[in-house]
Amino acid sequence: MLRYLNAGESHGEGLIGIIEGLPANLFIDIDYINSELKRRQRGYGRGKRMEIERDSINILSGVRGGFTIGSPLTLYIENKDYKNWYKKMSIMDEITENIITKPRPGHGDLAGVIKYAQKDIRNILERASARETAMRVAIGAIAKLILKEFNIDICSHVTEIGGIEDKGHYSISEILNINSSLRIIDKKIEGKVIDKIDECKEKGDTLGGAFKIFAINLPIGLGSHSHWDRKLDGKLAQGLMSLQGIKVVEIGEGMNISKKLGSQVHDEIFYDNGYYRTTNNAGGIEAGISNGENIILKGYMKPIPSLKIPLKSIDMDTKKEYLAHKERADVCAVSSASIVGESILSWIIAEELIIKFGGDSIQEMKNNYTKYIKYIKKR
């Protein structure tokens, strides 16, 4: 069983991740993990926090000589901005100043302080912050290293920001080789979006958007139809919905196929030295099981709710109307969300590979996988 736990606050000392269930003898490429962290930090419209943090991974356990040894793997990312916040974020000293009592619309501030009986909204917003996704990307990078052993690729691109859509249909090669600060393939669309981001930045407003994620070269048979909580599409939808700001998840042609006839939707099956489809409206999943086609997910992200010109709110102490508390934030983070989405998809696929092919070492997993692929070719 593969699982992880992450911890840490946005302006705390750092972020921690612990992974349990990794097979032994998996090479841990530090440079690759750091390159994934850099991908998350890029993107036109990101805030000043990205100028402060230069995320890099430290491995504290579970690896020796560059390879996993079968024990829990511990990761650490330092928050460089902590030096400016250590008094506000003291672990043991009583916090009596800068108490936040004006919840921000669109955040978990109000619900969180009520649920956990807190007086200071900072106790909620620090953990609810998307800063947490830095560790999720590091964990996802390790999952990608597992997938590379099975020649499985994960990629993504942005399809819309602020209502400006890129409706192009692109090859996997084009998606894997994107050269764009916004992860938008069409350069004309990218230019329009940059203008819109600049306009919103001037006004103190924010933008949302949408992105697609792909898993390529998957075998038939990941996931299961037999239990609700083992359905692959259910796991992927929950995983992507756990990403801050995501309000809709679409699998395959999702919303479009709900408007069509069944004869126009379902992907016909053919055989030529193996099963294949000429369409992929299902997005690579049928009855909760991967069907051998590329998995395609689409995530829709709301505009960032931290605004430079804050919305109306209430002071929870006085119950008087005030403008909401302001926090430093991005104008647009859709491109970064697509990278985190890749990590979420990678983790779930890696988990399914371990469930399906087992093994205490990566070699044992690959042997089981090879036998299974031979079995598929005989069916």
Side-chain angles (χ1 to χ4, degrees):
M1 179 178 178
L2 187 63
R3 60 179 180 173
Y4 77 84
L5 178 69
N6 68 349
E9 283 70 48
S10 180
H11 295 96
E13 194 164 348
L15 304 172
I16 293 171
I18 299 176
I19 304 175
E20 182 183 19
L22 285 174
N25 304 326
L26 175 69
F27 177 64
I28 300 299
D29 187 337
I30 297 289
D31 291 338
Y32 177 73
I33 297 170
N34 287 335
S35 71
E36 288 291 286
L37 291 172
K38 286 179 182 177
R39 290 177 76 217
R40 172 192 166 275
Q41 291 191 288
R42 296 183 190 133
Y44 197 81
R46 299 303 307 275
K48 291 185 177 180
R49 182 75 186 269
M50 297 304 103
E51 297 172 11
I52 297 170
E53 304 295 348
R54 292 292 184 271
D55 291 338
S56 61
I57 201 68
N58 293 289
I59 296 181
L60 307 181
S61 72
V63 175
R64 186 166 184 261
F67 292 86
T68 56
I69 56 176
S71 57
L73 189 151
T74 306
L75 306 170
Y76 177 72
I77 298 173
E78 178 188 5
N79 283 337
K80 292 181 171 57
D81 203 19
Y82 175 67
K83 63 185 179 183
N84 301 314
W85 287 78
Y86 71 95
K87 288 185 179 179
K88 294 180 184 178
M89 294 300 297
S90 174
I91 290 174
M92 296 305 295
D93 295 336
E94 183 181 3
I95 308 294
T96 58
E97 298 179 357
N98 302 306
I99 302 298
I100 303 171
T101 59
K102 304 176 184 68
R104 300 162 299 166
H107 281 279
D109 298 356
L110 178 63
V113 292
I114 290 173
K115 175 178 173 62
Y116 289 99
Q118 299 294 303
K119 292 183 177 180
D120 188 350
I121 289 170
R122 183 159 299 284
N123 290 340
I124 305 304
L125 69 84
E126 284 287 330
R127 180 60 183 166
S129 166
R131 175 67 185 151
E132 171 260 351
T133 63
M135 182 52 71
R136 280 213 256 180
V137 168
I139 289 168
I142 290 173
K144 284 185 178 182
L145 292 174
I146 296 175
L147 301 188
K148 285 176 184 293
E149 297 284 339
F150 298 89
N151 298 314
I152 296 170
D153 283 317
I154 306 291
C155 61
S156 67
H157 71 104
V158 170
T159 59
E160 179 257 318
I161 289 178
I164 302 172
E165 293 185 78
D166 182 353
K167 296 182 179 180
H169 296 280
Y170 301 106
S171 68
I172 294 301
S173 176
E174 287 175 298
I175 298 167
L176 284 167
N177 293 287
I178 289 175
N179 180 21
S180 163
S181 63
L182 285 168
R183 303 192 57 71
I184 294 174
I185 296 175
D186 187 316
K187 289 299 180 182
K188 290 182 180 178
I189 299 296
E190 181 187 41
K192 291 178 182 179
V193 171
I194 286 173
D195 290 342
K196 182 117 184 199
I197 290 173
D198 289 342
E199 179 186 332
C200 279
K201 186 176 182 180
E202 192 71 27
K203 292 179 178 178
D205 218 326
T206 59
L207 294 168
F211 54 86
K212 275 187 178 180
I213 322 170
F214 302 78
I216 303 147
N217 196 33
L218 290 177
I220 295 173
L222 302 183
S224 175
H225 69 284
S226 62
H227 301 286
W228 69 269
D229 58 343
R230 290 190 59 198
K231 290 177 181 283
L232 182 57
D233 43 4
K235 284 186 171 184
L236 291 171
Q238 192 280 329
L240 203 54
M241 284 296 291
S242 75
L243 173 56
Q244 288 86 340
I246 300 302
K247 302 303 288 184
V248 176
V249 175
E250 189 176 6
I251 298 176
E253 287 300 308
M255 290 185 283
N256 289 333
I257 59 178
S258 69
K259 305 168 187 175
K260 297 181 179 180
L261 298 172
S263 57
Q264 299 172 310
V265 166
H266 301 297
D267 304 306
E268 293 182 308
I269 303 169
F270 302 91
Y271 186 87
D272 183 6
N273 294 318
Y275 298 100
Y276 72 95
R277 321 287 179 109
T278 57
T279 59
N280 188 16
N281 294 318
I285 303 171
E286 291 172 314
I289 306 172
S290 64
N291 65 12
E293 301 299 315
N294 294 339
I295 286 180
I296 305 172
L297 302 177
K298 192 171 184 180
Y300 294 80
M301 185 180 190
K302 69 182 181 182
I304 294 166
S306 292
L307 303 174
K308 287 185 179 179
I309 302 175
L311 299 173
K312 291 179 181 179
S313 183
I314 297 294
D315 186 313
M316 295 185 71
D317 283 350
T318 67
K319 305 300 185 288
K320 291 182 179 179
E321 186 175 299
Y322 281 90
L323 293 177
H325 169 74
K326 288 194 292 185
E327 284 282 311
R328 177 178 55 198
D330 303 328
V331 176
C332 178
V334 178
S335 57
S336 296
S338 72
I339 303 302
V340 184
E342 286 184 21
S343 294
I344 291 168
L345 175 56
S346 299
W347 175 265
I348 294 169
I349 298 301
E351 179 185 40
E352 290 298 327
L353 285 172
I354 287 174
I355 290 170
K356 178 67 177 169
F357 303 111
D360 296 310
S361 70
I362 197 69
Q363 293 89 344
E364 188 176 359
M365 279 187 67
K366 290 172 80 171
N367 286 339
N368 294 339
Y369 177 83
T370 300
K371 291 177 184 177
Y372 180 73
I373 296 302
K374 290 179 180 178
Y375 152 75
I376 291 175
K377 289 181 178 179
K378 293 178 181 179
R379 289 300 307 269

